[in-house]
Amino acid sequence: MKGFWFKSILILLNFILVCINQTHGQKVLLSANGPGNTYEEINKKFAPGKDVIEVPDCVHSEFGRHINEIYDEELEKHVFNFFVHVVPDNDRCLNFDRQRTEIKTYGGSPENLKAVLGETVIYSWKFKLPQNFKVSKNFTHLHQIKSVGSIHSTSPMITLTARKSTPDRMELRYTSTTMQSTLKTTLLDLFRGEWVKVTEVIKYDNFGSYYIKISRISDGMVLLKYNISAIDTWQDGSKFSRPKWGIYRSIKDVSDLRDEQVRFDDFIIQELTPLSVLDYKSMSTNNKLKVNKSKMFVSIKNIPKNSYEEIELISENGKKIAHNRLLQKNKIRLSGLPEGDYFISFLEAKQPVSIYTFTIEN
């Protein structure tokens, strides 16, 4: 590339950390605020004027509501407490081989809470299992992504479920039809008695993507992480897809179970919009990478490897450039790149953590 000369020096002041919770306006949709009116608060956020609560109150009315709000000493705030009792709770007075205490979005929810084909949505929440949490060998679901309108809608597309085994485990399960497979497992003991935060990002498409990370809140330890960029995340014929949270378990083997209380809080549902060129320019102000004139590469030093998961190279007109063959250790070779401005975006959960710019000139 003789004849090229380069401008841009390493400034690296004002290192911009663009975390998901801040730059993209991510706001908590539903958070506990104290005892009383719990069902009403949930419905107000998830489907105003409707009912998104699926509980066994109808067969256990003397207990009262199966979701309430209590103060949590560790988080130092009120949280939602989901109850399920081995007897007499069932599944909404409909099924007697299983039990359900769940909340969801559904057809009556606002449009921004229902995922449609082509959208990318981030879901985030916190939960805590009891120290002696007991699980079924069949299923104990804590989270599901389900489609509406598909012939496969009875089968959740994504499921986070706990299962009795040797040892007990937490499973991430998936299907685009009806035949579920297990994508990842980890020890259930890692979750027992601990608050965890879940971040899940789904691009809903026949050629979509899926990301999940579950971290322990006390020390940040990652308990489960999975990322795949080519996966069918749209069940054919669906009108939309939507999430569920709570306790949904089989009671075929009641001797394995006990009455449980699982805590949840800080639910987020946010549709993501791809960044524009203007977004990249505003986010990369004063973040210019050093360009080596003689060896023709961009150095990406001083960026910790554990601070991002992948890199995107974007041209000044917003076009993504295949860079796998250009990326070598902590450098991007410039061979073959035409003159112009370029942006290097460091991604976590498919969203920019930091963005830098460099320029190539004749």
Side-chain angles (χ1 to χ4, degrees), residues 161-344:
T161 193
R163 195 181 304 275
K164 182 180 180 181
S165 188
T166 308
D168 295 345
R169 60 183 186 259
M170 184 73 77
E171 299 178 346
L172 176 65
R173 293 177 60 79
Y174 157 80
T175 183
S176 60
T177 55
T178 57
M179 299 296 292
Q180 282 201 338
S181 60
T182 300
L183 299 178
K184 188 134 187 182
T185 66
T186 192
L187 296 175
L188 188 60
D189 272 349
L190 294 172
F191 292 79
R192 287 184 168 114
E194 298 282 353
W195 271 105
V196 301
K197 180 179 179 181
V198 186
T199 301
E200 183 180 46
V201 184
I202 308 176
K203 180 180 180 181
Y204 287 97
D205 207 310
N206 293 125
F207 196 75
S209 62
Y210 180 78
Y211 168 96
I212 188 170
K213 181 170 75 172
I214 307 179
S215 302
R216 196 160 56 199
I217 289 178
S218 61
D219 59 4
M221 178 180 174
V222 176
L223 307 184
L224 184 148
K225 188 174 182 180
Y226 186 82
N227 189 17
I228 184 169
S229 58
I231 187 172
D232 186 354
T233 54
W234 190 255
Q235 292 181 328
D236 293 341
S238 298
K239 296 179 181 178
F240 62 89
S241 291
R242 41 81 168 190
K244 305 187 76 174
W245 293 277
I247 314 164
Y248 179 36
R249 66 183 184 179
S250 168
I251 51 174
K252 289 183 178 179
D253 298 292
V254 294
S255 60
D256 292 337
L257 306 175
R258 64 171 201 164
D259 294 353
E260 298 287 3
Q261 299 179 44
V262 177
R263 299 182 181 188
F264 288 85
D265 206 33
D266 296 340
F267 298 92
I268 291 171
I269 303 174
Q270 183 184 4
E271 297 175 352
L272 300 180
T273 303
L275 293 179
S276 68
V277 175
L278 290 178
D279 292 325
Y280 282 113
K281 287 182 177 179
S282 64
M283 293 165 65
S284 61
T285 302
N286 291 333
N287 285 268
K288 294 186 177 182
L289 287 171
K290 183 177 181 179
V291 178
N292 188 291
K293 298 180 180 180
S294 59
K295 296 185 179 180
M296 302 173 191
F297 62 77
V298 176
S299 174
I300 51 176
K301 298 178 181 178
N302 301 324
I303 302 174
K305 289 185 178 180
N306 60 2
S307 68
Y308 65 93
E309 294 178 327
E310 57 183 308
I311 297 173
E312 284 184 346
L313 181 60
I314 303 104
S315 68
E316 61 187 351
N317 60 6
K319 180 181 178 181
K320 292 182 182 179
I321 299 170
H323 62 273
N324 290 338
R325 66 179 182 85
L326 304 176
L327 186 60
Q328 296 179 345
K329 295 183 179 180
N330 65 335
K331 301 173 183 178
I332 292 183
R333 292 186 296 107
L334 304 179
S335 177
L337 293 180
E339 64 180 78
D341 293 329
Y342 292 86
F343 306 95
I344 299 178

Side-chain angles (χ1 to χ4, degrees), residues 18-146:
V18 188
C19 71
I20 297 174
N21 287 344
Q22 296 173 349
T23 300
H24 293 274
Q26 193 180 40
K27 297 180 180 179
V28 175
L29 171 67
L30 174 65
S31 185
N33 59 14
N37 299 319
T38 301
Y39 287 10
E40 291 78 9
E41 293 169 11
I42 295 170
N43 284 326
K44 182 180 179 180
K45 297 295 186 178
F46 278 12
K50 309 292 183 179
D51 186 11
V52 301
I53 315 292
E54 296 182 337
V55 288
D57 294 356
C58 54
V59 295
H60 199 181
S61 58
E62 66 275 17
F63 174 76
R65 292 180 165 186
H66 280 70
I67 305 174
N68 66 9
E69 294 166 82
I70 61 172
Y71 188 80
D72 184 86
E73 296 291 342
E74 181 179 349
L75 296 188
E76 299 182 330
K77 65 188 293 292
H78 283 89
V79 299
F80 295 105
N81 200 31
F82 288 53
F83 292 91
V84 66
H85 308 92
V86 176
V87 177
D89 292 352
N90 64 13
D91 178 12
R92 301 163 296 169
C93 296
L94 300 174
N95 298 302
F96 296 86
D97 64 339
R98 62 197 66 187
Q99 304 172 311
R100 185 194 306 264
T101 301
E102 288 187 310
I103 61 176
K104 64 182 181 181
T105 64
Y106 82 127
S109 299
E111 292 302 314
N112 65 307
L113 303 186
K114 297 182 288 186
V116 297
L117 184 64
E119 285 185 336
T120 298
V121 182
I122 184 169
Y123 305 99
S124 181
W125 67 98
K126 300 182 179 83
F127 74 90
K128 180 182 181 180
L129 304 180
Q131 184 66 53
N132 297 314
F133 188 59
K134 303 296 183 184
V135 292
S136 166
K137 66 181 179 182
N138 294 297
F139 63 88
T140 305
H141 298 339
L142 300 163
H143 166 64
Q144 302 172 70
I145 297 290
K146 300 197 71 175

Side-chain angles (χ1 to χ4, degrees), residues 11-17 283-287 354-356:
I11 299 179
L12 234 54
L13 299 174
N14 304 317
F15 185 80
I16 300 178
L17 291 177
M283 293 165 65
S284 61
T285 302
N286 291 333
N287 285 268
S354 55
I355 295 176
Y356 288 82

